[in-house]
Amino acid sequence: MEDTVATSSDSMTAPVFEHPDRNLAMELVRATEAAAIRAVPWIGRGDKNAADGAAVNAMRTFLATVAFDGVVVIGEGEKDEAPMLFNGEHVGNGRGPSCDIAVDPIDGTSLTAAGRQNALSVIAVADRGTMYDPVDAFYMDKLVAGPEAHGVISLEQSIGDNLRELARAKGKDVGEMVVAILDRPRHAQLIDEIRSAGAGTRLMRDGDVAGGINAARWETRIDMCVGAGGTPEGVITACAIKALGGFMEGRLAPQSDEEHRKVVAAGHDLDRVLGLNDLVASDNTYFVATGVTDGQLLDGVRRKGPLIRTESLVLRSKTGTARRVIAEHRSDKWLESKA
């Protein structure tokens, strides 16, 4: 039953609003801003590990100041042996809520190294024990869309059926549909099937976290994000999709015999379709991202005279709130000797 409070009229009642609590994401955004700023000198320099290392060091330093007891469930860099915030690492000052944390100091290290668009610095947080732990499962098939997709599409349907059903739910023609997908050889057949169904594609070089988020936002041209991408990035995306009210499914998809062997040995069911609540069970998720390079989701870090400008997206599922945070940082405060 909904709690109520009397108004000036005895015949009328109004809902009692829950007392606002602290929005952890507004503290976490400082860590993604720092990581993005520190990565800037490495944009277009061809060294993705150096860019990632600079971002990791900055993110770790700022996370240490946040009032929470965080444990890294999903660290970054395990696939390519880059510098990492490692799984099991404790972050935060140890005071406050106990949380699972997933980090990707740069989602799109190759994009950053090449000077291409759509690189982000990302953190996702949920209540302790609620994030899916992929263990040795580095890749999963993903299907992401907006709120209209609930009860309409599924990984167990063909891409053609999914496109037709979602188009009907959105009141669009299939020919108006746009699908984001990583530009990889493994997706050649899937891309052909999307185009044969009459839809268009938005091919991404890297960084499918942004692709998934754009698929769930009403103001973008992306209607759906599909294909095999990183499992850690899938869990991070799920935290954002919960806040946006969108739809997401995943299914583990090993890309090599060795990965297949490890995934099966870890006890994973390769036929199981993972829903949003399987990927993150908490209804109180936080997602923060800061643009490193310009992209469809966020502007990248920009130097404007004596200022450094950052743009971030801050999402929280409990309140259903999405904020864009534009920050201007004095460049003289970002000397190499400072965190």
Side-chain angles (χ1 to χ4, degrees), residues 11-262:
S11 63
M12 297 178 62
T13 57
V16 171
F17 290 98
E18 186 175 325
H19 192 280
D21 59 1
R22 192 172 104 256
N23 189 343
L24 189 62
M26 298 306 293
E27 297 176 49
L28 294 169
V29 72
R30 296 171 59 244
T32 56
E33 288 172 347
I37 290 170
R38 284 299 190 213
V40 167
W42 299 100
I43 294 174
R45 300 288 294 275
D47 190 341
K48 67 177 186 178
N49 283 357
D52 205 27
V56 167
N57 290 338
M59 181 174 282
R60 178 180 278 121
T61 298
F62 273 81
L63 281 175
T65 71
V66 177
F68 77 136
D69 178 16
V71 174
V72 177
V73 174
I74 295 176
E76 63 85 39
E78 294 178 331
K79 283 185 293 186
D80 55 5
E81 297 181 357
M84 69 174 82
L85 276 150
F86 59 86
N87 290 359
E89 182 172 351
H90 283 259
V91 294
N93 64 13
R95 299 186 295 274
S98 297
C99 302
D100 287 346
I101 179 168
V103 298
D104 203 344
I106 303 180
D107 178 41
T109 53
S110 296
L111 298 175
T112 303
R116 296 192 176 107
Q117 293 189 335
N118 294 317
L120 303 171
S121 179
V122 177
I123 295 173
V125 172
D127 296 327
R128 178 70 53 80
T130 61
M131 275 188 188
Y132 179 74
D133 186 352
V135 192
D136 292 305
F138 294 142
Y139 290 91
M140 66 162 44
D141 289 324
K142 305 171 195 176
L143 179 60
V144 189
E148 305 90 346
H150 288 286
V152 172
I153 65 175
S154 171
L155 281 172
E156 296 181 320
Q157 295 179 172
S158 70
I159 187 63
D161 285 344
N162 280 332
L163 281 166
R164 286 184 284 272
E165 293 298 326
L166 185 57
R168 185 178 298 113
K170 298 184 77 167
K172 301 173 67 170
D173 293 329
V174 173
E176 299 177 85
M177 301 287 282
V178 178
V179 181
I181 183 170
L182 288 171
D183 188 6
R184 298 287 188 274
R186 63 178 178 268
H187 290 149
Q189 181 177 342
L190 184 55
I191 290 170
D192 286 343
E193 291 173 359
I194 292 168
R195 292 170 176 170
S196 295
T201 55
R202 182 71 57 81
L203 301 183
M204 302 178 292
R205 289 183 179 271
D206 211 337
D208 63 348
V209 171
I213 293 172
N214 278 328
R217 295 169 63 235
W218 65 268
E219 67 264 74
T220 73
R221 282 283 292 116
I222 305 299
D223 297 287
M224 187 187 299
C225 183
V226 301
T231 303
E233 290 84 353
V235 178
I236 290 171
T237 302
C239 291
I241 300 305
K242 276 221 165 179
L244 295 169
F247 169 90
M248 182 173 180
E249 284 184 349
R251 182 169 54 205
L252 300 183
Q255 298 298 302
S256 68
D257 291 341
E258 177 65 13
E259 186 186 352
H260 186 281
R261 183 189 64 76
K262 288 182 177 180

